[in-house]
Structures are given as C-alpha cells and as structure tokens.
Amino acid sequence: TYKLKVKPGKTYLLRLINAALNDELFFSIANHSVTVVEADATYVKPFVTDTLVIAPGQTTNVLLKTKSPAPDAAFYMLARPYFTGMGTFDNTTVSGILEYENLENAPLFKPSLPAINATNVVANFSNMFKSLATNKFPINVPQKVDKRFFFTVGLGTNPCPKNQTCQGPNGTKFAASMNNISFALPTTALLQSYFFSKNGVFTADFPDSPLHPFNYTGTPPNNTHVINGTTKVEVLPFNASVEVIMQDTSILGAESHPLHLHGYNFYVVGQGFGNFDPKNDPSKFNLVDPVERNTIGVPSGGWVAIRFQADNPGNDSYHIVHS
C-alpha cells in the first residue's frame, strides 16, 4: 500500500490525475480537507473540499495543509468509482495512507466516501469550478457563436459478432455513440486524408443535432441500435467560435460520460439536469468566469455546454473517452 510521508504544519501540492478508462472517481483523505487550485493545468478560484471528483483524463491540483502538532494517527486516502449506468465493473475502493513522520503503530482513520451513485455530490462539486478571470490570468470565452452543435451522448447496442459472447442487453454488444453514430476508426489519419488524399476515408456529414429527436432523459426508444459504417466528421471553418451542447441519454440508463477535446481547452459555460432547454438555459450561461478545461463529464441524466475557438487546425478531434 502506497504511503505518503508528510511533516506537520506544512503545505503540500498534490497533483492528481484519473488514469482510469471509464470511471469517474471520488477521492478523499480521512480527517483532512484540501484546497483545489487547478483543473486540467489551468488555475481556478481556490475552494476547500473534503471530497474530490475526477473524471478519466482530468487532472486536479490541490493544496494539502497538514496538522500541527503531528497527530498520533495515520489516515487513509481512498478512491472509489462514481457510477449510475448499466453493466458490470470493478467497484473496488483503492487505498493509500497519509502518514506523519516518526509515527509507528498509529491508529488508522478512514474517510467516508459518497454513495457510488451520488449524482448530486458530483454536480455540486463540478459547479464550484470557476476561472480566475483576472488581469494576470485572463480568460477568452467566446461571447458570440459562429457554429452550434447539439450532441446526444451515451450507450447503444450493436449485434454481437459471430462466435463471441457479449454482455450487453439481450446478448448484444455495448457501443458508445454521439447522435446515435458510433465512431468508425479510419485506416488513414483524418488530417492526412483531408489535406492530401480525400479518397473516401471520411464523409463530412456528421449531424449537427440528433437525426431523430426524442425525450432524451425520459422513456428511451425501443430501438437501441447505433449507426455504423463510414467515418463521419464535422469540418469547422478556421477560427470559428463554437458552442457544443452535450446531452446525456437514458437509452441504456443515464450515465456520466467523460469527454475530451484534443488540442484545445474549452470553457464550461453551463450544465444542468434533464433535457437542455434551448430557449431558457442559454440565458443562465456563465460567460464571466467559466472554468477552462480539456476534459469534462457530461452529467448523468443531464447536459453540459462548452465553448471554444477553433484556431488549432493541426489537432482537432473530439471524442468520448470511453467506448
């Protein structure tokens, strides 16, 4: 078991990264709180918490102030998944120990982690992140939008391949999708084919919104099969300001979906539960000090809105972290 040796009355910078494939993780240190100062390598307005939530690929820097004098005790550092979806997975609680120097055979205290499906805890934690937005550390969130997208994200199904056993509903295979389209991996790099060959590697017809709208967080449709086939992309004009609404779906159960944008940071301007309301929700967007990240978890049974400037033509790929 990993042991972090500390001295009393000191402040330590802990750099945390979630290296899991799919699971968002709760993290807590018994009898200690931490001050969050960074998210995805960008400063945030500091805030104090005793429980962290980190999605796959996200990083969080926190300041840990140790007790003085040194307590006659050691303290577990625990992490456990946050999960609301379907399927089986390893829900083990992983542990390390925070240990003050020169202590032996000290009693070991354990933190209390939220319930595995504590969606409100996750939402409240996520809402605490704000950019510094100062003269020294300014932000540049797009105030106007040139291109808008509405993407549903979630799980659907594919038929189980022959001679295989699949663990999806009714023996099918789980398939991640956006707007019900599951990504088809091309044989040639997308940017290479775009600039040099354009030989049918991809089609520029990824839909800006769902092809068949439905009550995204209500009763799911009977047909859960996703669309497969050609690699579909969306080609953006250089330097366009882009807004993307990512909507979770209840097709195979509501679930938080971590998503990452290659080559960019983006601003998280809004989030909420239920179906996104295009008439009323945009008026509540934070365009003053939204957090700047490169990875975000789409809320379980909810939506998140991000904005970014499409000014990096060398690296532009947007994908669901888990598949």
Side-chain angles (χ1 to χ4, degrees):
T1 301
Y2 171 71
K3 293 183 178 181
L4 176 62
K5 299 278 190 178
V6 296
K7 296 179 180 180
K10 300 290 185 180
T11 299
Y12 292 85
L13 176 66
L14 306 183
R15 300 181 183 272
L16 305 174
I17 181 169
N18 183 339
L21 174 66
N22 182 68
D23 295 322
E24 294 179 80
L25 297 173
F26 294 117
F27 175 86
S28 185
I29 304 174
N31 293 22
H32 290 72
S33 59
V34 296
T35 301
V36 177
V37 294
E38 174 271 352
D40 294 348
T42 301
Y43 288 122
V44 298
K45 288 184 172 69
F47 65 91
V48 178
T49 182
D50 57 10
T51 301
L52 301 169
V53 184
I54 312 179
Q58 283 186 339
T59 65
T60 303
N61 282 359
V62 301
L63 298 177
L64 169 69
K65 190 171 183 179
T66 57
K67 300 178 184 297
S68 181
D72 186 19
F75 305 91
Y76 268 123
M77 303 181 291
L78 300 182
R80 185 178 66 197
Y82 159 65
F83 186 75
T84 64
M86 298 176 62
T88 58
F89 69 103
D90 184 353
N91 64 353
T92 301
T93 298
V94 65
S95 63
I97 297 175
L98 180 74
E99 192 174 79
Y100 286 75
E101 288 186 341
N102 303 318
L103 288 179
E104 294 183 4
N105 301 318
L108 189 57
F109 288 90
K110 184 183 295 186
S112 177
L113 291 173
I116 197 169
N117 60 350
T119 294
N120 286 337
V121 173
V122 176
N124 291 337
F125 180 78
S126 181
N127 285 329
M128 296 181 75
F129 285 85
K130 311 289 183 189
S131 289
L132 287 180
T134 62
N135 289 333
K136 186 176 181 180
F137 299 101
I139 64 170
N140 189 28
V141 57
Q143 300 295 310
K144 67 177 185 67
V145 175
D146 299 318
K147 186 70 175 177
R148 284 185 167 86
F149 298 100
F150 182 82
F151 293 155
T152 58
V153 298
L155 292 176
T157 60
N158 271 326
C160 191
K162 290 184 178 180
N163 301 321
Q164 291 189 20
T165 300
C166 299
Q167 298 181 0
N170 301 315
T172 57
K173 182 179 181 180
F174 283 118
S177 71
M178 301 179 70
N179 285 349
N180 203 45
I181 296 173
S182 195
F183 183 64
L185 190 67
T187 56
T188 304
L190 293 178
L191 284 173
Q192 178 183 343
S193 62
Y194 178 80
F195 284 107
F196 299 109
S197 60
K198 296 187 178 179
N199 59 353
V201 172
F202 65 86
T203 57
D205 59 349
F206 190 89
D208 293 0
S209 58
L211 297 174
H212 303 286
F214 62 99
N215 183 2
Y216 306 113
T217 55
T219 303
N222 292 327
N223 184 2
T224 63
H225 287 178
V226 301
I227 298 172
N228 295 279
T230 58
T231 303
K232 297 178 181 293
V233 306
E234 179 71 48
V235 179
L236 294 172
F238 175 72
N239 215 33
S241 55
V242 183
E243 179 182 281
V244 183
I245 309 297
M246 294 171 284
Q247 172 73 60
D248 182 36
T249 65
S250 58
I251 293 177
L252 292 178
E255 182 183 6
S256 178
H257 299 278
L259 285 103
H260 169 74
L261 183 62
H262 279 316
Y264 291 91
N265 282 1
F266 53 77
Y267 294 97
V268 183
V269 297
Q271 55 190 320
F273 290 117
N275 296 334
F276 175 73
D277 183 344
K279 291 184 178 180
N280 296 314
D281 285 331
S283 64
K284 306 171 189 174
F285 284 176
N286 177 9
L287 303 180
V288 177
D289 59 354
V291 67
E292 183 180 357
R293 308 203 67 136
N294 60 48
T295 304
I296 190 68
V298 179
S300 176
W303 56 271
V304 66
I306 67 170
R307 289 187 180 183
F308 66 96
Q309 204 78 24
D311 56 1
N312 181 9
N315 192 345
D316 189 355
S317 174
Y318 179 79
H319 66 94
I320 297 176
V321 171
H322 66 285
S323 60

